[in-house]
PDB file of all heavy atoms in Angstrom:
ATOM      1  N   MET A  13     -42.594 132.783-130.904  1.00 57.00           N
ATOM      2  CA  MET A  13     -42.808 131.358-130.902  1.00 57.00           C
ATOM      3  C   MET A  13     -43.512 130.905-132.184  1.00 57.00           C
ATOM      4  O   MET A  13     -43.149 129.892-132.739  1.00 57.00           O
ATOM      5  CB  MET A  13     -43.652 130.964-129.692  1.00 57.00           C
ATOM      6  CG  MET A  13     -42.984 131.250-128.358  1.00 57.00           C
ATOM      7  SD  MET A  13     -41.418 130.439-128.182  1.00 57.00           S
ATOM      8  CE  MET A  13     -41.938 128.826-127.837  1.00 57.00           C
ATOM      9  N   ARG A  14     -44.515 131.655-132.605  1.00 68.00           N
ATOM     10  CA  ARG A  14     -45.243 131.272-133.817  1.00 68.00           C
ATOM     11  C   ARG A  14     -44.333 131.240-135.033  1.00 68.00           C
ATOM     12  O   ARG A  14     -44.418 130.334-135.857  1.00 68.00           O
ATOM     13  CB  ARG A  14     -46.420 132.207-134.070  1.00 68.00           C
ATOM     14  CG  ARG A  14     -47.641 131.854-133.249  1.00 68.00           C
ATOM     15  CD  ARG A  14     -48.707 132.833-133.541  1.00 68.00           C
ATOM     16  NE  ARG A  14     -48.368 133.965-132.689  1.00 68.00           N
ATOM     17  CZ  ARG A  14     -49.185 134.914-132.326  1.00 68.00           C
ATOM     18  NH1 ARG A  14     -50.380 134.957-132.796  1.00 68.00           N
ATOM     19  NH2 ARG A  14     -48.815 135.867-131.522  1.00 68.00           N
ATOM     20  N   LEU A  15     -43.468 132.239-135.133  1.00 71.00           N
ATOM     21  CA  LEU A  15     -42.543 132.298-136.262  1.00 71.00           C
ATOM     22  C   LEU A  15     -41.645 131.062-136.271  1.00 71.00           C
ATOM     23  O   LEU A  15     -41.481 130.412-137.306  1.00 71.00           O
ATOM     24  CB  LEU A  15     -41.695 133.569-136.184  1.00 71.00           C
ATOM     25  CG  LEU A  15     -40.589 133.717-137.235  1.00 71.00           C
ATOM     26  CD1 LEU A  15     -41.181 133.704-138.646  1.00 71.00           C
ATOM     27  CD2 LEU A  15     -39.795 134.987-136.981  1.00 71.00           C
ATOM     28  N   PHE A  16     -41.094 130.698-135.133  1.00 70.00           N
ATOM     29  CA  PHE A  16     -40.219 129.528-135.058  1.00 70.00           C
ATOM     30  C   PHE A  16     -41.005 128.255-135.378  1.00 70.00           C
ATOM     31  O   PHE A  16     -40.543 127.408-136.138  1.00 70.00           O
ATOM     32  CB  PHE A  16     -39.572 129.431-133.674  1.00 70.00           C
ATOM     33  CG  PHE A  16     -38.551 128.339-133.583  1.00 70.00           C
ATOM     34  CD1 PHE A  16     -37.323 128.460-134.215  1.00 70.00           C
ATOM     35  CD2 PHE A  16     -38.815 127.188-132.863  1.00 70.00           C
ATOM     36  CE1 PHE A  16     -36.377 127.453-134.134  1.00 70.00           C
ATOM     37  CE2 PHE A  16     -37.865 126.182-132.770  1.00 70.00           C
ATOM     38  CZ  PHE A  16     -36.655 126.310-133.409  1.00 70.00           C
ATOM     39  N   ARG A  17     -42.196 128.117-134.815  1.00 66.00           N
ATOM     40  CA  ARG A  17     -43.040 126.937-135.097  1.00 66.00           C
ATOM     41  C   ARG A  17     -43.282 126.801-136.590  1.00 66.00           C
ATOM     42  O   ARG A  17     -43.177 125.720-137.152  1.00 66.00           O
ATOM     43  CB  ARG A  17     -44.385 127.064-134.378  1.00 66.00           C
ATOM     44  CG  ARG A  17     -44.451 126.365-133.069  1.00 66.00           C
ATOM     45  CD  ARG A  17     -45.872 126.199-132.569  1.00 66.00           C
ATOM     46  NE  ARG A  17     -46.757 127.312-132.804  1.00 66.00           N
ATOM     47  CZ  ARG A  17     -47.028 128.255-131.910  1.00 66.00           C
ATOM     48  NH1 ARG A  17     -46.469 128.241-130.735  1.00 66.00           N
ATOM     49  NH2 ARG A  17     -47.866 129.214-132.188  1.00 66.00           N
ATOM     50  N   MET A  20     -39.964 126.031-138.657  1.00 66.00           N
ATOM     51  CA  MET A  20     -39.444 124.693-138.423  1.00 66.00           C
ATOM     52  C   MET A  20     -40.479 123.614-138.751  1.00 66.00           C
ATOM     53  O   MET A  20     -40.186 122.437-138.642  1.00 66.00           O
ATOM     54  CB  MET A  20     -38.991 124.545-136.962  1.00 66.00           C
ATOM     55  CG  MET A  20     -37.819 125.438-136.592  1.00 66.00           C
ATOM     56  SD  MET A  20     -36.345 125.195-137.618  1.00 66.00           S
ATOM     57  CE  MET A  20     -35.954 123.502-137.258  1.00 66.00           C
ATOM     58  N   LEU A  22     -43.042 122.628-137.111  1.00 60.00           N
ATOM     59  CA  LEU A  22     -43.122 121.774-135.928  1.00 60.00           C
ATOM     60  C   LEU A  22     -44.461 121.058-135.782  1.00 60.00           C
ATOM     61  O   LEU A  22     -44.501 119.926-135.319  1.00 60.00           O
ATOM     62  CB  LEU A  22     -42.818 122.588-134.670  1.00 60.00           C
ATOM     63  CG  LEU A  22     -41.404 123.166-134.599  1.00 60.00           C
ATOM     64  CD1 LEU A  22     -41.208 123.942-133.311  1.00 60.00           C
ATOM     65  CD2 LEU A  22     -40.355 122.079-134.732  1.00 60.00           C
ATOM     66  N   ALA A  29     -44.697 123.287-129.422  1.00 56.00           N
ATOM     67  CA  ALA A  29     -43.747 124.389-129.310  1.00 56.00           C
ATOM     68  C   ALA A  29     -44.419 125.639-128.771  1.00 56.00           C
ATOM     69  O   ALA A  29     -44.096 126.740-129.158  1.00 56.00           O
ATOM     70  CB  ALA A  29     -43.110 124.669-130.668  1.00 56.00           C
ATOM     71  N   GLY A  30     -45.338 125.487-127.831  1.00 63.00           N
ATOM     72  CA  GLY A  30     -46.000 126.631-127.238  1.00 63.00           C
ATOM     73  C   GLY A  30     -45.292 127.117-125.994  1.00 63.00           C
ATOM     74  O   GLY A  30     -45.800 127.961-125.277  1.00 63.00           O
ATOM     75  N   ILE A  31     -44.127 126.581-125.734  1.00 67.00           N
ATOM     76  CA  ILE A  31     -43.353 126.949-124.552  1.00 67.00           C
ATOM     77  C   ILE A  31     -42.001 127.490-124.995  1.00 67.00           C
ATOM     78  O   ILE A  31     -41.557 127.215-126.110  1.00 67.00           O
ATOM     79  CB  ILE A  31     -43.179 125.733-123.610  1.00 67.00           C
ATOM     80  CG1 ILE A  31     -42.539 124.571-124.359  1.00 67.00           C
ATOM     81  CG2 ILE A  31     -44.499 125.326-122.992  1.00 67.00           C
ATOM     82  CD1 ILE A  31     -42.232 123.357-123.516  1.00 67.00           C
ATOM     83  N   PRO A  32     -41.312 128.251-124.137  1.00 75.00           N
ATOM     84  CA  PRO A  32     -40.056 128.858-124.576  1.00 75.00           C
ATOM     85  C   PRO A  32     -38.893 127.883-124.732  1.00 75.00           C
ATOM     86  O   PRO A  32     -37.908 128.214-125.373  1.00 75.00           O
ATOM     87  CB  PRO A  32     -39.749 129.890-123.501  1.00 75.00           C
ATOM     88  CG  PRO A  32     -40.635 129.583-122.365  1.00 75.00           C
ATOM     89  CD  PRO A  32     -41.760 128.746-122.860  1.00 75.00           C
ATOM     90  N   ILE A  33     -38.972 126.689-124.167  1.00 82.00           N
ATOM     91  CA  ILE A  33     -37.923 125.687-124.339  1.00 82.00           C
ATOM     92  C   ILE A  33     -38.484 124.590-125.232  1.00 82.00           C
ATOM     93  O   ILE A  33     -39.470 123.941-124.886  1.00 82.00           O
ATOM     94  CB  ILE A  33     -37.448 125.114-122.997  1.00 82.00           C
ATOM     95  CG1 ILE A  33     -36.859 126.237-122.147  1.00 82.00           C
ATOM     96  CG2 ILE A  33     -36.425 124.001-123.222  1.00 82.00           C
ATOM     97  CD1 ILE A  33     -36.498 125.829-120.744  1.00 82.00           C
ATOM     98  N   ILE A  34     -37.852 124.409-126.380  1.00 81.00           N
ATOM     99  CA  ILE A  34     -38.368 123.469-127.378  1.00 81.00           C
ATOM    100  C   ILE A  34     -37.351 122.349-127.579  1.00 81.00           C
ATOM    101  O   ILE A  34     -36.239 122.593-128.041  1.00 81.00           O
ATOM    102  CB  ILE A  34     -38.621 124.196-128.716  1.00 81.00           C
ATOM    103  CG1 ILE A  34     -39.582 125.361-128.483  1.00 81.00           C
ATOM    104  CG2 ILE A  34     -39.162 123.226-129.766  1.00 81.00           C
ATOM    105  CD1 ILE A  34     -39.540 126.406-129.543  1.00 81.00           C
ATOM    106  N   LEU A  36     -35.880 119.397-129.576  1.00 87.00           N
ATOM    107  CA  LEU A  36     -35.893 118.863-130.938  1.00 87.00           C
ATOM    108  C   LEU A  36     -35.128 117.546-130.919  1.00 87.00           C
ATOM    109  O   LEU A  36     -33.897 117.531-130.829  1.00 87.00           O
ATOM    110  CB  LEU A  36     -35.240 119.856-131.905  1.00 87.00           C
ATOM    111  CG  LEU A  36     -35.909 121.234-131.998  1.00 87.00           C
ATOM    112  CD1 LEU A  36     -35.095 122.153-132.887  1.00 87.00           C
ATOM    113  CD2 LEU A  36     -37.334 121.099-132.508  1.00 87.00           C
ATOM    114  N   PHE A  56     -25.070 130.412-132.014  1.00 93.00           N
ATOM    115  CA  PHE A  56     -26.254 130.067-131.225  1.00 93.00           C
ATOM    116  C   PHE A  56     -25.908 129.022-130.172  1.00 93.00           C
ATOM    117  O   PHE A  56     -25.252 128.023-130.475  1.00 93.00           O
ATOM    118  CB  PHE A  56     -27.370 129.510-132.120  1.00 93.00           C
ATOM    119  CG  PHE A  56     -27.993 130.552-132.989  1.00 93.00           C
ATOM    120  CD1 PHE A  56     -27.559 130.747-134.287  1.00 93.00           C
ATOM    121  CD2 PHE A  56     -29.012 131.356-132.512  1.00 93.00           C
ATOM    122  CE1 PHE A  56     -28.124 131.712-135.097  1.00 93.00           C
ATOM    123  CE2 PHE A  56     -29.584 132.326-133.301  1.00 93.00           C
ATOM    124  CZ  PHE A  56     -29.143 132.509-134.603  1.00 93.00           C
ATOM    125  N   PHE A  57     -26.353 129.237-128.950  1.00 95.00           N
ATOM    126  CA  PHE A  57     -26.171 128.256-127.882  1.00 95.00           C
ATOM    127  C   PHE A  57     -27.402 127.359-127.865  1.00 95.00           C
ATOM    128  O   PHE A  57     -28.480 127.755-127.416  1.00 95.00           O
ATOM    129  CB  PHE A  57     -25.981 128.944-126.528  1.00 95.00           C
ATOM    130  CG  PHE A  57     -25.819 127.971-125.402  1.00 95.00           C
ATOM    131  CD1 PHE A  57     -24.709 127.138-125.344  1.00 95.00           C
ATOM    132  CD2 PHE A  57     -26.774 127.864-124.414  1.00 95.00           C
ATOM    133  CE1 PHE A  57     -24.551 126.224-124.311  1.00 95.00           C
ATOM    134  CE2 PHE A  57     -26.631 126.963-123.380  1.00 95.00           C
ATOM    135  CZ  PHE A  57     -25.519 126.136-123.322  1.00 95.00           C
ATOM    136  N   VAL A  58     -27.255 126.167-128.404  1.00 95.00           N
ATOM    137  CA  VAL A  58     -28.320 125.171-128.471  1.00 95.00           C
ATOM    138  C   VAL A  58     -27.714 123.866-127.948  1.00 95.00           C
ATOM    139  O   VAL A  58     -27.133 123.092-128.709  1.00 95.00           O
ATOM    140  CB  VAL A  58     -28.844 124.999-129.917  1.00 95.00           C
ATOM    141  CG1 VAL A  58     -29.973 123.986-129.976  1.00 95.00           C
ATOM    142  CG2 VAL A  58     -29.308 126.332-130.494  1.00 95.00           C
ATOM    143  N   ARG A  74     -31.822 121.430-127.328  1.00 93.00           N
ATOM    144  CA  ARG A  74     -32.711 122.229-126.480  1.00 93.00           C
ATOM    145  C   ARG A  74     -32.655 123.671-126.965  1.00 93.00           C
ATOM    146  O   ARG A  74     -31.685 124.382-126.737  1.00 93.00           O
ATOM    147  CB  ARG A  74     -32.264 122.131-125.037  1.00 93.00           C
ATOM    148  CG  ARG A  74     -33.158 122.862-124.095  1.00 93.00           C
ATOM    149  CD  ARG A  74     -32.642 122.712-122.695  1.00 93.00           C
ATOM    150  NE  ARG A  74     -33.633 123.201-121.761  1.00 93.00           N
ATOM    151  CZ  ARG A  74     -33.494 123.134-120.471  1.00 93.00           C
ATOM    152  NH1 ARG A  74     -32.426 122.590-119.942  1.00 93.00           N
ATOM    153  NH2 ARG A  74     -34.432 123.615-119.680  1.00 93.00           N
ATOM    154  N   VAL A  75     -33.711 124.090-127.638  1.00 90.00           N
ATOM    155  CA  VAL A  75     -33.811 125.446-128.171  1.00 90.00           C
ATOM    156  C   VAL A  75     -34.594 126.289-127.176  1.00 90.00           C
ATOM    157  O   VAL A  75     -35.681 125.895-126.752  1.00 90.00           O
ATOM    158  CB  VAL A  75     -34.527 125.457-129.539  1.00 90.00           C
ATOM    159  CG1 VAL A  75     -34.706 126.870-130.050  1.00 90.00           C
ATOM    160  CG2 VAL A  75     -33.760 124.611-130.540  1.00 90.00           C
ATOM    161  N   SER A  76     -34.037 127.410-126.797  1.00 88.00           N
ATOM    162  CA  SER A  76     -34.721 128.335-125.885  1.00 88.00           C
ATOM    163  C   SER A  76     -34.924 129.658-126.603  1.00 88.00           C
ATOM    164  O   SER A  76     -33.962 130.260-127.083  1.00 88.00           O
ATOM    165  CB  SER A  76     -33.888 128.569-124.622  1.00 88.00           C
ATOM    166  OG  SER A  76     -33.693 127.365-123.927  1.00 88.00           O
ATOM    167  N   ILE A  77     -36.168 130.100-126.649  1.00 83.00           N
ATOM    168  CA  ILE A  77     -36.491 131.370-127.295  1.00 83.00           C
ATOM    169  C   ILE A  77     -37.028 132.306-126.221  1.00 83.00           C
ATOM    170  O   ILE A  77     -37.878 131.913-125.425  1.00 83.00           O
ATOM    171  CB  ILE A  77     -37.522 131.171-128.419  1.00 83.00           C
ATOM    172  CG1 ILE A  77     -36.893 130.296-129.507  1.00 83.00           C
ATOM    173  CG2 ILE A  77     -37.982 132.512-128.985  1.00 83.00           C
ATOM    174  CD1 ILE A  77     -37.796 129.984-130.658  1.00 83.00           C
ATOM    175  N   THR A  78     -36.503 133.529-126.218  1.00 81.00           N
ATOM    176  CA  THR A  78     -36.926 134.520-125.231  1.00 81.00           C
ATOM    177  C   THR A  78     -37.444 135.770-125.931  1.00 81.00           C
ATOM    178  O   THR A  78     -37.313 135.911-127.152  1.00 81.00           O
ATOM    179  CB  THR A  78     -35.753 134.919-124.306  1.00 81.00           C
ATOM    180  OG1 THR A  78     -34.834 135.720-125.067  1.00 81.00           O
ATOM    181  CG2 THR A  78     -35.046 133.700-123.726  1.00 81.00           C
ATOM    182  N   SER A  79     -37.971 136.682-125.135  1.00 80.00           N
ATOM    183  CA  SER A  79     -38.466 137.942-125.699  1.00 80.00           C
ATOM    184  C   SER A  79     -37.335 138.806-126.239  1.00 80.00           C
ATOM    185  O   SER A  79     -37.576 139.753-126.987  1.00 80.00           O
ATOM    186  CB  SER A  79     -39.262 138.716-124.647  1.00 80.00           C
ATOM    187  OG  SER A  79     -38.427 139.009-123.536  1.00 80.00           O
ATOM    188  N   ALA A  80     -36.102 138.484-125.879  1.00 84.00           N
ATOM    189  CA  ALA A  80     -34.954 139.230-126.404  1.00 84.00           C
ATOM    190  C   ALA A  80     -34.649 138.872-127.851  1.00 84.00           C
ATOM    191  O   ALA A  80     -33.951 139.613-128.542  1.00 84.00           O
ATOM    192  CB  ALA A  80     -33.715 138.967-125.544  1.00 84.00           C
ATOM    193  N   HIS A  81     -35.160 137.746-128.325  1.00 80.00           N
ATOM    194  CA  HIS A  81     -34.914 137.325-129.706  1.00 80.00           C
ATOM    195  C   HIS A  81     -35.878 138.041-130.651  1.00 80.00           C
ATOM    196  O   HIS A  81     -37.088 138.021-130.447  1.00 80.00           O
ATOM    197  CB  HIS A  81     -35.083 135.808-129.841  1.00 80.00           C
ATOM    198  CG  HIS A  81     -34.054 135.045-129.080  1.00 80.00           C
ATOM    199  ND1 HIS A  81     -34.354 134.295-127.974  1.00 80.00           N
ATOM    200  CD2 HIS A  81     -32.727 134.939-129.262  1.00 80.00           C
ATOM    201  CE1 HIS A  81     -33.252 133.752-127.503  1.00 80.00           C
ATOM    202  NE2 HIS A  81     -32.246 134.127-128.263  1.00 80.00           N
ATOM    203  N   ARG A  82     -35.336 138.648-131.661  1.00 84.00           N
ATOM    204  CA  ARG A  82     -36.127 139.347-132.675  1.00 84.00           C
ATOM    205  C   ARG A  82     -36.417 138.391-133.827  1.00 84.00           C
ATOM    206  O   ARG A  82     -35.803 137.332-133.949  1.00 84.00           O
ATOM    207  CB  ARG A  82     -35.372 140.587-133.182  1.00 84.00           C
ATOM    208  CG  ARG A  82     -35.052 141.564-132.078  1.00 84.00           C
ATOM    209  CD  ARG A  82     -36.358 142.188-131.563  1.00 84.00           C
ATOM    210  NE  ARG A  82     -36.109 142.957-130.360  1.00 84.00           N
ATOM    211  CZ  ARG A  82     -36.817 142.818-129.251  1.00 84.00           C
ATOM    212  NH1 ARG A  82     -37.783 141.954-129.182  1.00 84.00           N
ATOM    213  NH2 ARG A  82     -36.563 143.566-128.204  1.00 84.00           N
ATOM    214  N   ASP A  83     -37.341 138.789-134.697  1.00 86.00           N
ATOM    215  CA  ASP A  83     -37.698 137.948-135.842  1.00 86.00           C
ATOM    216  C   ASP A  83     -36.471 137.552-136.653  1.00 86.00           C
ATOM    217  O   ASP A  83     -36.341 136.405-137.069  1.00 86.00           O
ATOM    218  CB  ASP A  83     -38.708 138.655-136.749  1.00 86.00           C
ATOM    219  CG  ASP A  83     -40.101 138.699-136.144  1.00 86.00           C
ATOM    220  OD1 ASP A  83     -40.318 138.089-135.072  1.00 86.00           O
ATOM    221  OD2 ASP A  83     -40.977 139.348-136.742  1.00 86.00           O
ATOM    222  N   ASP A  85     -33.426 137.119-135.601  1.00 89.00           N
ATOM    223  CA  ASP A  85     -32.696 136.077-134.864  1.00 89.00           C
ATOM    224  C   ASP A  85     -33.351 134.715-135.063  1.00 89.00           C
ATOM    225  O   ASP A  85     -32.673 133.713-135.283  1.00 89.00           O
ATOM    226  CB  ASP A  85     -32.672 136.379-133.361  1.00 89.00           C
ATOM    227  CG  ASP A  85     -32.054 137.720-133.034  1.00 89.00           C
ATOM    228  OD1 ASP A  85     -31.033 138.078-133.660  1.00 89.00           O
ATOM    229  OD2 ASP A  85     -32.593 138.413-132.141  1.00 89.00           O
ATOM    230  N   ILE A  86     -34.671 134.695-134.993  1.00 84.00           N
ATOM    231  CA  ILE A  86     -35.414 133.437-135.105  1.00 84.00           C
ATOM    232  C   ILE A  86     -35.322 132.889-136.525  1.00 84.00           C
ATOM    233  O   ILE A  86     -35.148 131.684-136.731  1.00 84.00           O
ATOM    234  CB  ILE A  86     -36.873 133.634-134.648  1.00 84.00           C
ATOM    235  CG1 ILE A  86     -36.880 133.971-133.148  1.00 84.00           C
ATOM    236  CG2 ILE A  86     -37.720 132.399-134.945  1.00 84.00           C
ATOM    237  CD1 ILE A  86     -38.209 134.447-132.615  1.00 84.00           C
ATOM    238  N   GLU A  87     -35.407 133.765-137.514  1.00 89.00           N
ATOM    239  CA  GLU A  87     -35.257 133.344-138.913  1.00 89.00           C
ATOM    240  C   GLU A  87     -33.873 132.732-139.137  1.00 89.00           C
ATOM    241  O   GLU A  87     -33.738 131.674-139.757  1.00 89.00           O
ATOM    242  CB  GLU A  87     -35.456 134.527-139.869  1.00 89.00           C
ATOM    243  CG  GLU A  87     -36.863 135.071-139.919  1.00 89.00           C
ATOM    244  CD  GLU A  87     -37.769 134.264-140.824  1.00 89.00           C
ATOM    245  OE1 GLU A  87     -37.314 133.297-141.477  1.00 89.00           O
ATOM    246  OE2 GLU A  87     -38.961 134.607-140.882  1.00 89.00           O
ATOM    247  N   LEU A  89     -31.835 131.466-136.834  1.00 89.00           N
ATOM    248  CA  LEU A  89     -31.785 130.213-136.073  1.00 89.00           C
ATOM    249  C   LEU A  89     -32.427 129.079-136.866  1.00 89.00           C
ATOM    250  O   LEU A  89     -31.845 128.000-137.010  1.00 89.00           O
ATOM    251  CB  LEU A  89     -32.498 130.386-134.729  1.00 89.00           C
ATOM    252  CG  LEU A  89     -32.718 129.121-133.906  1.00 89.00           C
ATOM    253  CD1 LEU A  89     -31.399 128.538-133.429  1.00 89.00           C
ATOM    254  CD2 LEU A  89     -33.624 129.413-132.729  1.00 89.00           C
ATOM    255  N   ALA A  90     -33.616 129.309-137.401  1.00 87.00           N
ATOM    256  CA  ALA A  90     -34.311 128.282-138.177  1.00 87.00           C
ATOM    257  C   ALA A  90     -33.523 127.898-139.424  1.00 87.00           C
ATOM    258  O   ALA A  90     -33.394 126.707-139.744  1.00 87.00           O
ATOM    259  CB  ALA A  90     -35.716 128.764-138.549  1.00 87.00           C
ATOM    260  N   LEU A  93     -30.558 125.782-138.286  1.00 90.00           N
ATOM    261  CA  LEU A  93     -31.028 124.461-137.839  1.00 90.00           C
ATOM    262  C   LEU A  93     -31.381 123.576-139.026  1.00 90.00           C
ATOM    263  O   LEU A  93     -31.042 122.396-139.049  1.00 90.00           O
ATOM    264  CB  LEU A  93     -32.236 124.598-136.911  1.00 90.00           C
ATOM    265  CG  LEU A  93     -31.929 124.888-135.452  1.00 90.00           C
ATOM    266  CD1 LEU A  93     -33.200 125.279-134.709  1.00 90.00           C
ATOM    267  CD2 LEU A  93     -31.271 123.694-134.782  1.00 90.00           C
TER     268      LEU A  93
END
Side-chain angles (χ1 to χ4, degrees):
M13 297 302 283
R14 279 179 278 200
L15 175 59
F16 186 72
R17 264 195 321 263
M20 295 303 298
L22 296 180
I31 56 176
I33 299 173
I34 303 160
L36 300 175
F56 289 95
F57 179 65
V58 181
R74 183 180 191 176
V75 176
S76 299
I77 296 178
T78 72
S79 60
H81 294 112
R82 301 292 170 230
D83 286 354
D85 302 319
I86 295 169
E87 292 278 357
L89 171 66
L93 277 168

